[in-house]
Amino acid sequence: MEARDRGGAPARPLWTIGVDIGSVAVKAVLMRDGEWIDRRVAPTGWNPGEAGDEACAELLRRNALDPEGLGRTVATGYGRNAVKADGRVTEISCHAMGARYLFRDGDERCGVRTILDIGGQDSKAIALDRDGNVVNFLMNDKCAAGTGRFLQNMAMMLGCTLEDFSALPDIEPHAVSSMCTVFAESEVVGLLARGVDKRALSLGLLDSVASRAEGMLRRVGLHEPVAFTGGVSRSRNLVGLLERRLGCAVRVSPDSQFAGALGAALLAQKQARRGRSAPEAR
Amino acid sequence: MHDIDTILETMREAIPAGPVRIKEAVEAGRKVVGCYCAYTPYEVIRAAGAIPAVLCATSEKPIAAAEEHLPRNLCPLIKASYGFALTDTCPYFHFCDLVVGETTCDGKKKMYELLNRLKPTYVMQLPQTVSEDAVEQWRVEIERLARRLEEALGVTITEEALRREIAWRNEERRTMTEFYALSRRNPAPISGRDVHMVNEFFRLSFGDPEALELIRTLTLRLRENYDAGERRVSPDARRIIVTGCPTGKSVEKVFDAIEENGGVIVAFENCGGIKPSYELTDESLPPYEALARKYLGIPCSCMTPNDKRLDLLEGLVGDYAAEGVVDLILQACHTYNVETFQVHERVGVPCITVETDYYQGDVEQLATRMGAFVEMMG
């Protein structure tokens, strides 16, 4: 059935954009009346504002929309203040909202209670209540331990790519004890010099990330179902190691990388609907 | 309506003039006693005719110098205190005749040993529990301080002077308490950043009656203008109480993160805020006993047990209709950091702990954390 406003005339479709400016990639999502229409991912580069604006413009261009037809844009991520937007919301709220969308069971039920989000420079554990509202969250402290950046550095050390980390054979990981990116580097150098298998070491590095994530998830209050969002969730091996540590299933989606942008676009829908004269978001 | 902005501006401008006022006082023959902590019985120092001056301790600038002598993973407040003294960049330290310290924590009491090499430092042995024995012990310590001041400054502290200063300090506490109570209104009549600035102004007014009068006028004007409909704070702002470690310049980043992301700080349950001022000294008791009871009653995390802080915090959450609590921990402050668990258990509203130091590298992270905390309240 076609949506109609109170007068009975066909309502204008509500288009919104959510843009998530991460430290590595810009993710933008176009939405129409709560439905996911298009997406765009691009490297953040050295100018996060420009990269974000460009991603949004590209979505409008290829969907033949003019900026006036757009209801609202909400920005999130560390570069949220650098980009043109009508509202700015933190990654925590956006990932929660995005994860609810990605992992919804049936129509309404929220299919997730605990979210792990590992991005380029941040990792977060978010606890939701049964209705999907954020009730608690934890963020990593200011260092890169356990983040995508950590894995990227380690991949470079081992002369492989992040993708190689995902295609490792089922062998026992070799423990890496240091969480600090710099100390872990020296530890890895030492272990390689002692002839430790490179693949076991790679798994060990992933497992150290899993161990740190486990700590955060348990501290925030672990409830099933657990979902994993953010770019790092594309590593199948990491998901497996995390499931082994938590002793429960961890839900991932091929669209996990877009969770933040999706959440932002959904919040933009909500805010725009709350009155076309939507107040500036906090 | 612009009256309030003018008063706030006057106060803001008076803060950097603090060192000049101390210099002038010294040149006029006044003595200055440097202090760090809310447990310092100002009344005794004032009764000795000296000015109690809070020493610099809240900037990251002298920390690198301090780390030449002190461990790096120490509380930034202790490192800054020592660093300011070592580099002679704190005018109040420069001009003071004596420093009064207290054994509130391990880091401070050991730091005072080094500080004593730079300036005579008298350390009061603070009992760390509240009992009749402890009150008696603390009374003896305060009297010992009085004897030391008499000796160092060549004066006699009379009971009359003590009673006069107790009454005046109570007046100061009443004035500040009345000012703080404004924020019980909803929406709050004044931002937390401004409250913190007024605290700073009060701290650096050194007992000046005119400064206190200005705070009274501010309170009055805020109340009048509020009743006339002026709103300085958005009614949508989420009401936050800040608790935990002492605050100051370098941790204002946390207040900015709260208030620039949809929150308003309605109360500071810290040493520089409500904690040391919400209870008065009993003017009917013998002065030293009255002071011992008053100061020992400050619910700092160095006390054990410290249920009183949790009671205070719980009360403030109700009185100020707080929607969230931000528990501010300075790196390596073990007592507050451990008490965090009980704080989360007790407050009954969403609570977030932020551990930070004086460096400004986590400003972006703080904005995300405080922003998300406010968003969490819906």
Side-chain angles (χ1 to χ4, degrees):
Chain A
M1 201 178 94
E2 195 179 26
R4 282 169 191 278
D5 68 13
R6 267 183 211 151
R12 231 166 5 106
L14 178 59
W15 292 91
T16 58
I17 283 181
V19 57
D20 177 5
I21 324 274
S23 65
V24 176
V26 166
K27 286 79 62 178
V29 155
L30 179 70
M31 202 161 256
R32 182 188 59 209
D33 296 331
E35 188 193 347
W36 188 0
I37 302 296
D38 200 1
R39 71 190 67 188
R40 169 128 180 96
V41 59
T44 303
W46 56 272
N47 190 337
E50 207 170 85
D53 291 339
E54 176 48 36
C56 298
E58 171 65 18
L59 284 181
L60 292 178
R61 253 197 312 275
R62 66 188 190 201
N63 290 279
L65 281 166
D66 63 292
E68 282 75 56
L70 191 66
R72 195 174 171 79
T73 300
V74 166
T76 188
Y78 99 103
R80 64 186 175 279
N81 293 315
V83 70
K84 291 192 201 89
D86 306 302
R88 299 169 211 289
V89 181
T90 66
E91 304 88 288
I92 312 282
S93 304
C94 289
H95 272 272
M97 196 85 169
R100 279 169 63 183
Y101 182 92
L102 288 175
F103 304 106
R104 62 195 186 283
D105 288 339
D107 284 333
E108 293 302 321
R109 260 191 58 216
C110 177
V112 54
R113 288 290 305 280
T114 315
I115 300 165
L116 172 69
D117 163 38
I118 303 184
Q121 63 178 11
D122 278 325
S123 45
K124 306 176 190 78
I126 307 167
L128 307 180
D129 64 14
R130 287 182 197 287
D131 300 320
N133 303 306
V134 178
V135 286
N136 196 10
F137 66 88
L138 288 171
M139 271 173 85
N140 64 318
D141 289 316
K142 43 194 167 177
C143 82
T147 66
R149 177 71 68 201
F150 172 83
L151 288 175
Q152 219 168 30
N153 277 26
M154 295 306 133
M156 217 146 68
M157 286 280 312
L158 294 167
C160 59
T161 66
L162 262 183
E163 283 64 37
D164 296 338
F165 273 6
S166 272
L168 292 165
D170 188 16
I171 52 175
E172 202 48 37
H174 190 286
V176 176
S177 57
S178 185
M179 288 280 182
C180 168
T181 308
V182 176
F183 287 144
E185 267 185 27
S186 15
E187 193 177 341
V188 166
V189 170
L191 291 169
L192 286 172
R194 274 172 30 205
V196 173
D197 180 60
K198 192 176 115 174
R199 296 166 312 164
L201 209 46
S202 304
L203 272 177
L205 286 164
L206 284 180
D207 198 44
S208 78
V209 172
S211 141
R212 197 170 169 89
E214 180 196 3
M216 280 177 75
L217 289 168
R218 293 203 188 278
R219 270 193 299 139
V220 85
L222 185 69
H223 290 282
E224 291 186 61
V226 180
F228 186 5
T229 63
V232 176
S233 68
R234 284 174 297 170
S235 166
R236 296 296 312 158
N237 284 96
L238 180 53
V239 175
L241 290 164
L242 193 60
E243 287 182 324
R244 191 160 80 178
R245 284 186 169 271
L246 296 176
C248 71
V250 172
R251 305 186 68 172
V252 286
S253 152
D255 298 322
S256 271
Q257 201 192 0
F258 288 94
L262 260 175
L266 285 162
L267 280 163
Q269 291 271 325
K270 205 167 141 186
Q271 290 172 355
R273 244 181 257 122
R274 218 162 31 203
R276 297 272 167 166
S277 57
E280 169 71 4
R282 289 195 184 98
Chain B
M1 292 270 192
H2 296 298
D3 207 354
I4 288 168
D5 293 322
T6 312
I7 298 174
L8 290 174
E9 208 38 51
T10 307
M11 291 176 164
R12 208 168 275 130
E13 281 166 10
I15 293 170
V20 177
R21 288 202 301 280
I22 285 293
K23 182 172 177 281
E24 285 169 357
V26 168
E27 282 165 1
R30 292 289 299 275
K31 297 289 183 187
V32 176
V33 173
C35 323
Y36 285 107
C37 178
Y39 282 105
T40 319
Y42 275 24
E43 293 87 339
V44 181
I45 297 170
R46 287 176 176 177
I51 302 173
V54 178
L55 300 171
C56 314
T58 60
S59 162
E60 73 273 30
K61 276 189 208 133
I63 285 185
E67 285 176 352
E68 288 176 24
H69 297 182
L70 297 174
R72 215 160 56 84
N73 60 342
L74 184 65
C75 153
L77 188 127
I78 302 174
K79 285 191 291 190
S81 304
Y82 184 67
F84 269 116
L86 194 63
T87 56
D88 196 20
T89 46
C90 174
Y92 309 106
F93 187 83
H94 180 83
F95 287 116
C96 76
D97 301 278
L98 179 75
V99 172
V100 176
E102 301 79 7
T103 54
T104 42
C105 78
D106 295 347
K108 269 165 107 179
K109 72 188 185 202
K110 298 308 288 183
M111 184 272 283
Y112 290 140
E113 294 172 18
L114 298 176
L115 198 67
N116 191 41
R117 300 179 184 189
L118 304 169
K119 189 80 91 174
T121 302
Y122 182 76
V123 179
M124 302 178 76
Q125 302 293 326
L126 179 74
Q128 304 194 346
T129 192
V130 181
S131 65
E132 282 309 304
D133 284 350
V135 168
E136 175 55 19
Q137 197 187 328
W138 189 229
R139 185 189 61 77
V140 170
E141 278 297 312
I142 297 175
E143 285 199 47
R144 250 182 223 151
L145 170 71
R147 300 293 89 78
R148 176 66 196 266
L149 288 168
E150 287 178 332
E151 182 194 2
L153 308 176
V155 293
T156 305
I157 296 173
T158 64
E159 184 171 331
E160 188 200 349
L162 267 179
R163 288 193 184 277
R164 184 186 68 226
E165 297 304 335
I166 287 173
W168 175 243
R169 188 80 179 137
N170 274 347
E171 186 53 29
E172 291 183 332
R173 290 189 188 108
R174 271 193 292 267
T175 302
M176 292 313 288
T177 302
E178 213 170 303
F179 170 66
Y180 298 144
L182 283 171
S183 298
R184 293 182 184 204
R185 297 177 175 214
N186 198 351
I190 183 169
S191 74
R193 282 305 308 270
D194 283 339
V195 170
H196 199 255
M197 189 276 291
V198 174
N199 270 337
E200 190 84 340
F201 167 77
F202 168 65
R203 202 163 60 80
L204 296 176
S205 66
F206 311 114
D208 175 16
E210 278 180 37
L212 206 62
E213 192 51 42
L214 194 60
I215 296 171
R216 275 198 208 97
T217 308
L218 176 67
T219 306
L220 190 72
R221 290 282 178 279
L222 278 166
R223 204 180 284 140
E224 283 171 359
N225 288 11
Y226 189 89
D227 290 340
E230 187 191 51
R231 292 295 176 265
R232 304 175 68 86
V233 173
S234 161
D236 296 331
R238 296 297 177 174
R239 302 169 62 83
I240 306 289
I241 288 180
V242 171
T243 184
C245 290
T247 61
K249 193 159 189 49
S250 292
V251 292
E252 284 175 1
K253 60 183 178 179
V254 178
F255 311 151
D256 288 339
I258 294 170
E259 298 206 321
E260 284 166 13
N261 290 286
V264 57
I265 302 166
V266 291
F268 293 91
E269 186 280 311
N270 305 79
C271 301
I274 289 172
K275 199 200 290 283
S277 59
Y278 79 114
E279 284 181 338
L280 301 179
T281 306
D282 186 343
E283 294 177 37
S284 68
L285 290 175
Y288 286 112
E289 187 199 331
L291 289 172
R293 290 192 187 280
K294 155 64 200 166
Y295 281 94
L296 206 58
I298 295 175
C300 171
S301 67
C302 67
M303 290 293 158
T304 180
N306 189 29
D307 296 327
K308 196 173 169 186
R309 172 178 172 227
L310 302 174
D311 294 340
L312 168 63
L313 194 52
E314 198 179 39
L316 292 176
V317 167
D319 293 345
Y320 286 77
E323 295 164 282
V325 170
V326 172
D327 176 39
L328 174 65
I329 303 296
L330 292 176
Q331 170 207 306
C333 181
H334 302 315
T335 51
Y336 273 108
N337 211 355
V338 174
E339 237 173 64
T340 281
F341 182 72
Q342 288 156 284
V343 167
H344 280 253
E345 273 181 337
R346 271 293 281 281
V347 291
V349 291
C351 181
I352 187 170
T353 296
V354 278
E355 191 175 342
T356 189
D357 57 22
Y358 285 177
Y359 295 104
Q360 303 297 302
D362 56 356
V363 163
E364 289 300 322
Q365 252 240 358
L366 285 169
T368 300
R369 295 170 88 170
M370 294 300 107
F373 183 60
V374 168
E375 285 163 11
M376 199 174 94
M377 293 166 205

